[in-house]
Amino acid sequence: MQRRELFTSVANTFNKEEKKEILRPPYFKNDSDFTNVCIRCQTKDCAKICEEQIIIIQDNGTPILNLANSGCTYCDECASACTYDVLKLENKQNINSIFTIDTIKCMSHNNVMCFSCKDPCLDNAIIFDGIFKPVIDENLCTSCGFCVGVCPSDAISIEIRG
């Protein structure tokens, strides 16, 4: 390994750690409530009631979304179960993120027939240009995440909206 390659790989490792994205359930108003209020909750009912099992509790006691195996149905159950009112029905919104397809990793963009991301998309937000070249229509995408875990090549990335 060349010295330049070594430093590049180390730098890339640090950059990946810095970019760790935290997705929150889509029913909150203030992000600070998670660290100030959720830590007092002993029951963690929001995670227990989630039928899709996408809400996980971090070591610091706050809920985050893990879209690796499923997506959010926006069923309102986590907000109804929240006894500390961090998650409230009146604060319902789309998950604050943008989903993009990496054309280099995407099998369809590389001329392999694959509709893995399109099939679970209930909002028809993934549009194909012919048989190949899927794109995500940001106007239709609710950031539910059902497309993420089914992608066989990990081509769909999530970026938190700032």
Side-chain angles (χ1 to χ4, degrees), residues 28-161:
F28 72 96
K29 187 171 185 176
N30 298 313
D31 194 52
S32 62
D33 288 343
F34 289 105
T35 52
N36 296 331
V37 181
C38 286
I39 57 172
R40 292 184 277 158
C41 179
Q42 298 298 311
T43 62
K44 309 299 183 196
D45 287 337
C46 61
K48 291 176 186 173
I49 199 146
C50 180
E51 288 184 19
E52 296 297 325
Q53 299 179 345
I54 61 170
I55 300 176
I56 59 172
I57 305 300
Q58 297 185 103
D59 291 339
N60 68 1
T62 64
I64 62 171
L65 298 181
N66 179 347
L67 303 176
N69 296 316
S70 194
C72 182
T73 61
Y74 297 95
C75 68
D76 304 340
E77 295 298 322
C78 61
S80 297
C82 181
T83 56
Y84 283 87
D85 289 334
V86 172
L87 304 177
K88 295 167 122 179
L89 291 174
E90 58 262 25
N91 296 331
K92 186 176 186 173
Q93 59 190 316
N94 286 345
I95 296 169
N96 194 26
S97 59
I98 298 171
F99 289 67
T100 56
I101 298 173
D102 183 333
T103 58
I104 294 172
K105 290 181 179 179
C106 177
M107 292 169 53
S108 282
H109 276 274
N110 290 285
N111 299 324
V112 175
M113 278 197 145
C114 179
F115 295 95
S116 294
C117 60
K118 183 172 180 55
D119 292 339
C121 183
L122 302 175
D123 303 305
N124 294 317
I126 299 177
I127 300 161
F128 277 73
D129 181 13
I131 297 176
F132 305 108
K133 300 179 180 60
V135 294
I136 299 174
D137 184 335
E138 286 185 36
N139 295 318
L140 296 175
C141 182
T142 61
S143 300
C144 68
F146 279 105
C147 60
V148 175
V150 297
C151 179
S153 59
D154 295 323
I156 300 175
S157 61
I158 307 166
E159 180 183 327
I160 302 293
R161 288 185 186 171

